[in-house]
Amino acid sequence: MSKLFVISGSSGVGKGTIINKLMTKHPELKLSVSCTTRAKRDGEQEGVNYFYLKRDEFENCVKNNEFLEWAEFSGNYYGTKKMFVETCLKLGQYLILEIDTKGALNVKRIMPEAVLIFIAPPSIEELEHRLRGRNTETEEAIQKRLASIKLEIENSKKFDYKIINDTVDNAVMKLEEIISANI
Ligand code: 5GP
């Protein structure tokens, strides 16, 4: 039995779409809001998608031990505040964390009841295609993200579940099955 579900997947794998659909269908689930130092993308909102911090602000939170986990990813910091997770769990909410695989494994070490789910692309070529199609990043940034894929796939071997994102509906259905089997 768990109240904490951690979902990871390589960038561009479509996990944002999958998670949005899951959250719309299940208002009883709560999506954790992480902190990041990366720039806000079009349409993103402070406190909804992320809490946007300057590098020194983020580093101060690290020094003060405020993060449950944090990682540097593609040159930016990302982290989950302990306080955010503790408050949600105290309120009895089912919490979804959408973080990278390294962060997910760190969460599992601290909170072994967390259920780790990896969303994999049907193929690496397909993933590269989606990443470029998004058109939000420079070639250099895309190359960095592609380079991290291998590591993500390696880390995901230690996850509890793996979902191949063939179609969004299928992936959402599998996520629902995993969640209901573990709550
Ligand atoms: P993006 O910049 O596309 O929003 O996210 C890039 C990566 O950072 C994704 O793999 C996402 O899962 C991860 N990420 C987002 N928030 C966190 C967090 O709080 N901690 C960690 N470790 N990774 C995060």
Side-chain angles (χ1 to χ4, degrees):
M1 219 182 96
S2 181
K3 286 198 175 294
L4 187 60
F5 296 86
V6 184
I7 304 178
S8 301
S10 310
S11 301
V13 78
K15 66 179 183 295
T17 313
I18 294 168
I19 293 174
N20 282 344
K21 190 144 192 191
L22 178 79
M23 303 313 292
T24 310
K25 283 180 85 177
H26 296 276
E28 73 278 15
L29 302 176
K30 165 106 183 146
L31 187 59
S32 164
V33 182
S34 298
C35 300
T36 185
T37 59
R38 81 144 162 76
K40 210 186 272 179
R41 292 194 190 122
D42 279 353
E44 288 186 348
Q45 284 174 25
E46 165 77 22
V48 177
N49 304 91
Y50 284 104
F51 297 106
Y52 300 88
L53 302 182
K54 300 203 178 70
R55 281 186 86 84
D56 60 336
E57 290 173 331
F58 195 103
E59 283 162 2
N60 270 332
C61 295
V62 173
K63 264 187 223 147
N64 296 332
N65 203 21
E66 290 176 38
F67 288 113
L68 173 64
E69 62 75 36
W70 67 276
E72 193 162 8
F73 188 90
S74 282
N76 291 302
Y77 294 133
Y78 294 85
T80 312
K81 284 269 182 87
K82 276 182 195 166
M83 185 73 99
F84 191 99
V85 172
E86 280 165 11
T87 306
C88 293
L89 294 179
K90 263 186 209 148
L91 289 171
Q93 288 168 319
Y94 294 106
L95 189 60
I96 308 280
L97 259 58
E98 194 254 280
I99 64 178
D100 80 331
T101 51
K102 206 169 127 198
L105 293 174
N106 283 335
V107 170
K108 185 86 173 179
R109 214 170 303 138
I110 303 162
M111 305 174 85
E113 74 278 18
V115 177
L116 307 194
I117 307 162
F118 186 72
I119 301 182
S123 73
I124 302 262
E125 293 74 24
E126 170 66 18
L127 177 61
E128 184 167 357
H129 181 71
R130 286 193 210 176
L131 209 51
R132 289 186 194 285
R134 197 157 70 179
N135 244 340
T136 53
E137 267 143 302
T138 61
E139 179 59 29
E140 193 194 344
I142 290 174
Q143 287 303 332
K144 267 193 189 169
R145 284 184 187 264
L146 288 173
S148 71
I149 292 172
K150 272 195 184 158
L151 180 66
E152 298 260 312
I153 290 175
E154 192 54 37
N155 285 342
S156 76
K157 291 179 184 160
K158 297 184 195 129
F159 275 43
D160 301 301
Y161 297 94
K162 179 167 142 182
I163 295 176
I164 307 280
N165 181 21
D166 44 5
T167 70
V168 172
D169 286 339
N170 259 339
V172 171
M173 202 175 74
K174 285 181 197 148
L175 259 180
E176 287 173 312
E177 283 169 10
I178 293 168
I179 292 171
S180 48
N182 284 281
I183 60 177

